[in-house]
Amino acid sequence: MIKIVGLGPGSKDAITFGTLELLKSSSNVILRTEKHPTVKYLKEMGIAFQTYDEKYEKSESFDDVYSSIAEDIIKRYSEAGEVVYAVPGHPLVAEKSVEILLKLCKKQNIEAEVLPAVSFIDVVMERLQIDPVRGLKIIDAFDIKNQILDKRIGLIVTQVYNKFIASDVKLALLEYYKDDTEIYFIRAAGVKDTESIRTMPLYELDRQGDIDYLTSIYIPRDVENNKDFYDLLDIMEKLRSSDGCPWDREQTHESIKKSMIEESYEVVEAIEKNDDNMVIEELGDVLFQIVFHAQLGKEEGMYNINDIISGICSKMIYRHPHVFGDSNCETSSDVIKKWDEIKKNEQGLKSHTDELKHVPKILPALMRADKVQKKAAKVGFDLDSIEGVFNKVLEEFYEVKNEYNASKKDRILEEVGDLIFSVVNVARFLDIDSEFALNYTIDKFIKRFEYIENEACNNNLRLEDMTLKQMDDLWNKSKSIEKDKI
């Protein structure tokens, strides 16, 4: 049998009587490491043991060390029939080697027994008077980047071995907590004359001179720390409650649907302005719209925010088989082609026409025209050259002119649409975003118009009293000033 025991947090008084008797009576005791305060006591008791400390020098990562230890214990068991493996603390608390060993034992039908032990968590809870019932999360410093942090429960980070690891831990925590969050620095908890427990702001964590393999940290529960996604959900639910906001309570999916479009465009504007603070604010507004619709769905009993998140996660995994599956895509073009194939199958599009029809009508017309043209071009329905595109614009222009002379409103509307569609084609051929190009021109128009108005005001003139030629002269002057600045 393989017996796995814990040496406690570091004080000899924390070793259980059963563990001590087993260590005394066994002839095949192996310690994961000799770097533990209790080991000195074991030597005084005359307990013979071997350690795996040399593996830390030979292996490239801790995962390799722990896997190697587990495999060696299985090997020793096959040779000797019984092994006692001793680790710091409790065998089932932050002890990766034991986790791997137990899996190997189960796989190979080897009997393994874990003896009760005192862990450093017990000592920390006693020293800091923590009640775990209120919520307590324990994570390994080496795994902190894979963990979800939550200010609503206490957090213990174990195995903060050195300043380098402490720095990584600090940076990971700063992505969630405020930099001045009060934390407890805990070293050698429960070890007499060595224990040090003190508070400090989070940003000072990696500046401590006594960080070693006995170091952990504790962050108390603090619901007033940085706001997170769950705070936003709570705010939304409060706004819709009976004692919330009258306006928010009145809204429906239909009444706020256009807000999603407006807020999305404001994000685009912020990005174009290269204004990070504005981007943060506008992205928040978009997120609020999503949460608003999720709350409405929850109240209707149809769906909630978790359904939305689960849906998009599943979609992204399904549409990226080259990342999450065994498909292979070497270039962006390969990715786009595969994406289109998956999307077509997913949405049940049977023909190329179905794909064109699937482009949302709610999109701005220029954007929709560009998307439709690109999809048609993928199957070869496209002009051969930019010259042909220019000729098509001229052709549509003259058709508009002819229909204008005929004064048929419906025909004029149709031909104007054809002309605009052709201009979008020019932009597409030249790899220009037609929506952006038109907005650029609109902004330019407003700027030049502002110049005309300001000049008129400076000369005590009203625009309404000026001739078109006077305004046109100022317009051209504005253009000249712009060219001089280039």
Side-chain angles (χ1 to χ4, degrees), residues 122-234:
D122 298 301
V123 179
V124 170
M125 288 192 298
E126 181 268 319
R127 292 288 192 273
L128 301 181
Q129 298 183 359
I130 300 170
D131 183 357
V133 171
R134 295 193 68 192
L136 181 64
K137 184 170 185 174
I138 306 163
I139 63 177
D140 190 320
F142 294 93
D143 193 46
I144 192 167
K145 293 180 181 178
N146 298 319
Q147 297 293 327
I148 297 175
L149 304 177
D150 187 354
K151 64 184 181 179
R152 295 161 188 80
I153 59 175
L155 173 67
I156 294 177
V157 183
T158 71
Q159 304 194 80
V160 187
Y161 283 165
N162 52 45
K163 287 189 175 182
F164 179 77
I165 296 170
S167 180
D168 281 349
V169 168
K170 182 183 79 171
L171 292 175
L173 293 174
L174 286 176
E175 291 185 10
Y176 183 77
Y177 294 98
K178 295 177 181 177
D179 60 0
D180 60 349
T181 296
E182 184 178 76
I183 68 171
Y184 286 82
F185 181 91
I186 307 164
R187 182 184 174 277
V191 183
K192 189 177 180 181
D193 300 327
T194 305
E195 176 184 273
S196 176
I197 299 177
R198 55 190 186 269
T199 60
M200 64 188 64
L202 174 57
Y203 64 81
E204 290 188 356
L205 170 59
D206 54 351
R207 303 175 187 174
Q208 309 308 303
D210 54 346
I211 297 174
D212 64 8
Y213 63 96
L214 295 175
T215 302
S216 300
I217 65 168
Y218 172 65
I219 303 179
R221 176 179 182 269
D222 179 12
V223 294
E224 299 304 319
N225 216 293
N226 282 332
K227 299 296 183 186
D228 61 15
F229 186 63
Y230 296 100
D231 287 310
L232 179 58
L233 295 179
D234 289 342

Side-chain angles (χ1 to χ4, degrees), residues 312 315-316 318-319 338-360 371 375 378:
I312 189 59
K315 179 189 285 187
M316 289 301 103
Y318 178 70
R319 290 190 181 178
K338 190 67 178 179
W339 177 281
D340 287 341
E341 289 175 3
I342 294 172
K343 189 175 179 181
K344 187 174 179 180
N345 292 331
E346 188 181 272
Q347 296 171 346
L349 306 179
K350 304 298 183 183
S351 66
H352 296 299
T353 303
D354 285 345
E355 289 189 67
L356 302 187
K357 289 180 178 179
H358 199 73
V359 177
K371 284 183 172 292
K375 287 183 178 294
K378 285 181 180 180

Side-chain angles (χ1 to χ4, degrees), residues 52 61 107 162 401:
Y52 284 117
S61 70
K107 185 177 181 180
N162 52 45
K401 193 172 182 180

